[in-house]
Amino acid sequence: MTQKKKKTIRMIPQARTPAHEQDPHERARNFLEVNCGYHVEDALLEAERCLLCPEQPCVSGCPVNIAIPDFIQRITEKDYRGAYDVITATNLLPAVCGRVCPQETQCEGVCTVGESLEPVAIGRLERWVGDLAIKEGWSNVPYIEPSGLRVGIVGSGPAGMACAADMAKAGCEVTVFEAFHEAGGVLKYGIPDFRLPNAVVDAEIGKLEQLGIRFECNTLVGRLFSIEQMIEEMGFHAVFIGTGAGYPSFMGIPGESLNGVLSANELLTRCNLMRARDFPDYDTPLQPGRQVAVIGAGNTAMDALRVCLRLGAEQVRCLYRRSRAEAPARAEELHHAEQEGIEFQWLVSPVEILDDGNRNVRAVRCVRMMLGEPDESGRRRPVPEPGSEFEIEADMVVYAIGTNANPIIGQTSKLRLTPRGYIATDDNLATSIPGVFAGGDIVTGAATVIEAMGAGRRAARGMKAFLGLRDTDFVYQERPAGPAATLFGIDRAEHGYARVRLPR
Amino acid sequence: MANATGGAGYEVVTRQDFSDVTFLLEIRHPLLAKAARPGQFVIVMAHEHGERIPLTIADFDRDKGTITLVIQAVGKTTREMQRDLRAGSRLHGLVGPMGEPSHIGKAKKVLCVGGGLGVAPVYPQARAHKASGAYVIGVLGFRNRDLVFWDDKFRACCDELILCTDDGSVGIKGMVTEGIRQAIARHPDIDECVAIGPPIMMKGCAEATRPHKIRTVVSLNPVMVDGTGMCGGCRVKIGDRVKFACVDGPDFDGHLVDFDDLMFRLQRYRATESEANKRYDENCRMRNPEAAR
């Protein structure tokens, strides 16, 4: 790599390169992808905007520490395959993460360019590279020396996929168990196609299969066999649990059992995974709402709102008890939802769901809220405004106010849990059973895709230490070869180069 | 993608028809047969475009490595299964066992009540209670003599068996609640009642046992998608609490269940269900039946 003259903020294209998007009116009625991404010329232009600053705050802002300036530089050098190699050294799913990461609070949020201009569109560049790799059929299948060790992964969502990939690269025979009939977890059942097409998820899963990872669907671990049985009877040397936190919360207000009230999880699973939107070609039903109220303003709420719009609802409202500034959704999703005509009612909280006399929803009675003193999350606590109750007409109410820990693993194993039902782990994500690790939402509570992937990778490091495998994070990274980088032909970055299994 | 039985799909090894709407499928799944306990259920997906339907496990045979389901062809999916599935067919998806197993072994004298389709899933409970040393009284309800099935299997594991038919063509004339009344009159020391069947029947059973303060367990089968606690569609009111039938149940204290709420919630997708049924009637060759095998 040749070091060019140092770039300054004045030399770079000042405006962020926009991504191609479907027209809001058109897209609000279809399930095609909203953000159509970059063309090559867009990517080249945007890549120019990276200053390649020495501090590289973006790298530490990324939960999996992608070498961001490095891959962007490869794009400017038109070494696209090289850019893909840099990203996949730490992140196996660039096409997914480029689409669903909350970049504004991660890499882009700390970008040096962002101090004076709009930050570099790192997410769009990552996605462009990921999509190109899918189109070109690139994959990085390293030479893997089998270690003879078997690893079982429970849950095929982002945490499980990330852990599976790292363990497969370390030479383990990896099997991923999934309760649904298709692998992918929240990427499949939760995130809708207009944000993350299922074909992209399948392409990324295909790459994991090329690493030798086996996916076993229709397998409910805990009930079909227990975690203890995996270790004691089924011959797994280590197990990772990434079952997520999908146990939806309701508010406990009157009227929640009326027909037309459902969780965002149910709505999204029916629509996305079960393809109820293509009823009757697919058998799963979904009674579409005409006037929909979605409670909550996170990413799941945005997905639910926009799905309802696409299913043909006339009016879709978001009810959130805080203001727009506190809404936890990714900035782009909120913006897209507003563009598509979602009506936002900020500082509003439901107190009762009202009946039409036939056990169907007629309306939601709400109360207006005011923002009081900051609470423990640092956000201002909403307090009800006395005497401000009013009704909003609705025939469908969707709850997107968060989830709790899935109880199945807790019910069926002796794993130590936290008081709230999540799996208790140490810093290396090891659980109370030796050889069993856990990560993602089932440990931390609901979070993002990339945080779950980060947890999966962290657990993989702990697992490798437990199994006595060398840390292969270094081995397959592309680094300049040459006498300085190696000693007797062995990569200097590699500490324990002999494959040693520690006595247990 | 591979699955727990090693091939694509899950093989139907036996089919048996009890009536023009009720049929039995025995499906090969050795791991599932080994893991299944009385009271648990599975989710079945007949083909790639199908819906996921929860079905209580009616029997399991660990030696043969099979589980048995008894299905009533009432909706589009179950009618399609009745039309298409036979020995050698394969199901696209089969997952389980789901739910908490029934608590067996505490009761000394047990009343096992099955109505209609509920006759099948109460069988493993009756068998397990008998094996745990309890005195088992079976009460089975059918519309008429022609619809009776599995009375022989029940006779083999019940100390007493009371058959009830609506028209009195076999056994006593009347509903299962009449059978319960007679059983309680003869055995005041019954300490548990297990009732499985349509919600209205389970409600009747719970009311029949309530004055006698007999612990009554019912198995609920509300609308659900995943069966793993994720969709919350199966939430039911138990006393003043809301529970998810798939992970907190499916067994609940019948004296606490809000059956009216359950019955209303079972109607949630009635409009789309009847639309699908109508469409199925109009065009029975909507999809190539071979696709389901």
Side-chain angles (χ1 to χ4, degrees):
Chain A
M1 278 177 277
T2 50
Q3 194 59 50
K4 286 184 201 157
K5 198 169 139 248
K6 196 172 177 305
K7 282 198 263 187
T8 67
I9 196 90
R10 289 171 179 230
M11 290 160 66
I12 64 170
Q14 301 291 293
R16 194 172 154 109
T17 317
H20 300 268
E21 281 179 6
Q22 260 200 87
D23 176 75
H25 293 291
E26 215 168 284
R27 77 186 187 223
R29 299 290 159 188
N30 70 44
F31 277 89
L32 301 176
E33 217 176 351
V34 167
N35 180 335
C36 314
Y38 275 168
H39 301 318
V40 60
E41 56 277 11
D42 304 315
L44 286 169
L45 188 63
E46 187 61 24
E48 280 302 325
R49 296 185 72 235
C50 177
L51 293 174
L52 302 174
C53 60
E55 301 81 11
Q56 307 196 336
C58 52
V59 178
S60 37
C62 170
V64 295
N65 307 117
I66 297 175
I68 292 164
D70 198 3
F71 96 74
I72 294 183
Q73 192 179 10
R74 307 248 176 158
I75 295 177
T76 55
E77 289 164 359
K78 300 195 176 168
D79 174 14
Y80 308 135
R81 174 72 208 234
Y84 175 70
D85 293 342
V86 170
I87 298 175
T88 49
T90 44
N91 177 10
L92 269 136
L93 313 172
V96 171
C97 293
R99 284 173 169 85
V100 303
C101 271
Q103 288 96 1
E104 67 272 12
T105 59
Q106 299 174 350
C107 53
E108 294 178 15
V110 292
C111 172
T112 311
V113 175
E115 289 167 18
S116 27
L117 302 170
E118 273 199 286
V120 178
I122 299 168
R124 292 174 188 170
L125 289 172
E126 182 188 20
R127 171 188 161 173
W128 179 75
V129 173
D131 285 353
L132 188 66
I134 292 174
K135 206 174 105 202
E136 298 288 333
W138 295 337
S139 64
N140 281 333
V141 182
Y143 169 73
I144 298 172
E145 187 192 331
S147 67
L149 296 172
R150 295 182 65 215
V151 171
I153 308 273
V154 185
S156 68
M161 281 194 210
C163 185
D166 277 9
M167 296 315 292
K169 283 184 182 175
C172 298
E173 188 192 319
V174 180
T175 310
V176 181
F177 298 103
E178 165 61 44
F180 266 128
H181 51 283
E182 282 183 35
V186 73
L187 306 177
K188 273 273 179 67
Y189 74 74
I191 303 177
D193 276 41
F194 56 82
R195 202 145 80 75
L196 175 64
N198 277 353
V200 171
V201 182
D202 285 331
E204 303 278 34
I205 289 172
K207 288 184 188 159
L208 298 183
E209 287 178 326
Q210 285 177 4
L211 287 176
I213 298 167
R214 280 179 58 214
F215 286 85
E216 283 205 14
C217 294
N218 291 307
T219 307
L220 181 61
V221 177
R223 294 286 177 202
L224 190 60
F225 45 80
S226 66
I227 300 291
E228 284 89 342
Q229 278 177 298
M230 289 176 79
I231 297 277
E232 288 159 18
E233 296 169 24
M234 295 169 70
F236 289 104
H237 298 93
V239 170
F240 173 77
I241 304 169
T243 48
Y247 188 96
S249 303
F250 291 86
M251 294 173 76
I253 60 174
E256 282 180 354
S257 64
L258 293 176
N259 291 340
V261 181
L262 70 171
S263 73
N265 269 359
E266 179 172 358
L267 171 82
L268 294 172
T269 306
R270 284 180 182 271
C271 179
N272 301 334
L273 179 76
M274 303 311 296
R275 302 272 302 269
R277 62 172 193 261
D278 296 325
F279 182 87
D281 189 26
Y282 283 74
D283 291 339
T284 301
L286 179 58
Q287 216 105 46
R290 218 166 31 78
Q291 288 177 301
V292 183
V294 176
I295 305 167
N299 286 320
T300 310
M302 296 306 126
D303 288 345
L305 289 159
R306 298 168 72 196
V307 158
C308 288
L309 198 64
R310 283 159 175 77
L311 290 171
E314 289 159 22
Q315 191 168 33
V316 186
R317 290 194 183 94
C318 173
L319 312 182
Y320 186 50
R321 63 200 181 113
R322 303 179 199 249
S323 69
R324 190 182 192 282
E326 287 86 20
R330 197 169 169 260
E332 190 187 17
E333 308 314 326
L334 197 54
H335 171 68
H336 279 156
E338 285 171 334
Q339 273 187 332
E340 287 168 15
I342 305 289
E343 187 188 319
F344 285 87
Q345 298 251 4
W346 305 114
L347 293 164
V348 158
S349 184
V351 289
E352 185 181 0
I353 301 170
L354 304 166
D355 194 335
D356 71 346
N358 276 323
R359 301 271 312 180
N360 298 309
V361 176
R362 171 177 66 81
V364 187
R365 189 175 3 252
C366 299
V367 62
R368 298 213 181 273
M369 309 294 275
M370 303 178 292
L371 289 181
E373 294 301 307
D375 62 11
E376 47 306 341
S377 75
R379 297 180 299 179
R380 292 176 63 191
R381 187 193 300 276
V383 286
E385 211 174 288
S388 65
E389 289 197 7
F390 65 105
E391 283 182 16
I392 290 176
E393 271 188 45
D395 57 0
M396 183 172 178
V397 178
V398 182
Y399 276 80
I401 55 169
T403 53
N404 295 310
N406 190 300
I408 293 176
I409 297 293
Q411 287 170 337
T412 56
S413 77
K414 294 192 174 66
L415 281 172
R416 200 158 57 79
L417 305 179
T418 68
R420 294 183 56 211
Y422 294 101
I423 296 178
T425 64
D426 67 9
D427 289 345
N428 295 320
L429 297 179
T431 67
S432 58
I433 299 180
V436 179
F437 293 74
D441 287 4
I442 192 62
V443 171
T444 57
T448 62
V449 168
I450 190 74
E451 282 169 299
M453 290 182 54
R457 303 204 69 214
R458 196 144 61 87
R461 277 195 285 279
M463 205 181 260
K464 282 184 249 182
F466 171 81
L467 295 171
L469 293 170
R470 66 181 172 184
D471 194 339
T472 39
D473 280 0
F474 294 100
V475 179
Y476 299 110
Q477 255 179 35
E478 282 212 17
R479 46 180 68 249
T486 60
L487 184 65
F488 305 119
I490 294 162
D491 197 317
R492 274 178 184 273
E494 196 178 305
H495 302 297
Y497 45 78
R499 215 181 265 287
V500 179
R501 206 174 308 170
L502 300 173
R504 304 243 302 269
Chain B
M1 259 171 251
N3 63 48
T5 55
Y10 301 85
E11 190 198 347
V12 176
V13 289
T14 317
R15 165 173 168 159
Q16 189 188 345
D17 286 72
F18 293 135
S19 72
D20 55 352
V21 287
T22 312
F23 61 104
L24 169 153
L25 295 179
E26 191 180 358
I27 302 152
R28 191 182 314 285
H29 194 323
L31 262 181
L32 183 49
K34 194 175 143 216
R37 299 280 179 282
Q40 292 186 304
F41 65 100
V42 294
I43 283 192
V44 169
M45 204 173 157
H47 53 78
E48 224 177 317
H49 288 216
E51 57 180 332
R52 296 167 62 89
I53 55 168
L55 295 166
T56 310
I57 300 171
D59 199 1
F60 46 87
D61 186 328
R62 293 186 181 142
D63 300 326
K64 275 169 81 184
T66 59
I67 63 149
T68 301
L69 304 173
V70 176
I71 302 162
Q72 201 162 23
V74 282
K76 189 246 172 186
T77 296
T78 43
R79 290 169 70 200
E80 202 176 45
M81 287 169 74
Q82 185 193 33
R83 184 192 66 188
D84 295 340
L85 296 173
R86 56 211 60 191
S89 304
R90 283 178 172 271
L91 294 170
H92 179 66
L94 173 65
V95 57
M98 290 165 154
E100 289 274 26
S102 304
H103 299 284
I104 308 274
K106 288 211 183 100
K108 294 278 168 283
K109 197 173 254 190
V110 186
L111 198 51
C112 288
V113 187
L117 203 60
V119 167
V122 89
Y123 169 70
Q125 310 234 20
R127 186 176 57 182
H129 277 295
K130 183 69 199 163
S132 79
Y135 186 90
V136 180
I137 306 157
V139 177
L140 308 180
F142 299 95
R143 276 212 312 277
N144 58 53
R145 170 192 284 274
D146 296 336
L147 298 175
V148 173
F149 66 90
W150 279 15
D151 48 328
D152 50 335
K153 288 180 80 156
F154 277 91
R155 280 208 174 83
C157 68
C158 291
D159 296 283
E160 287 176 42
L161 184 65
I162 304 171
L163 283 182
C164 315
T165 46
D166 293 358
D167 59 359
S169 50
V170 64
I172 59 172
K173 182 171 172 1
M175 292 189 286
V176 287
T177 42
E178 176 55 26
I180 292 174
R181 205 189 54 73
Q182 292 189 8
I184 293 175
R186 279 205 297 274
H187 301 276
D189 56 340
I190 291 172
D191 48 11
E192 185 172 323
C193 170
V194 181
I196 309 182
I200 188 77
M201 175 220 118
M202 292 191 284
K203 185 182 179 183
C205 295
E207 291 317 316
T209 57
R210 195 190 298 272
H212 304 278
K213 298 200 168 57
I214 297 170
R215 190 178 115 87
T216 300
V217 179
V218 295
S219 174
L220 306 186
N221 190 359
V223 174
M224 60 178 78
V225 184
D226 59 295
T228 61
M230 212 196 67
C231 77
C234 65
R235 57 191 189 278
V236 287
K237 280 189 192 162
I238 310 296
D240 53 0
R241 303 187 62 184
V242 172
K243 299 272 186 186
F244 289 2
C246 64
V247 288
D248 301 320
D251 285 0
F252 292 102
D253 181 344
H255 295 150
L256 294 177
V257 172
D258 183 339
F259 285 103
D260 296 332
D261 183 72
L262 174 72
M263 285 184 265
F264 277 115
R265 286 187 59 76
L266 280 168
Q267 307 291 319
R268 285 171 70 199
Y269 293 100
R270 189 174 44 182
T272 22
E273 278 161 8
S274 51
E275 186 195 329
N277 239 339
K278 203 167 137 243
R279 204 182 293 267
Y280 182 78
D281 286 336
E282 283 163 6
N283 184 4
C284 241
R285 284 167 294 144
M286 199 162 79
R287 257 193 308 275
N288 178 5
E290 289 304 320
R293 285 174 207 152

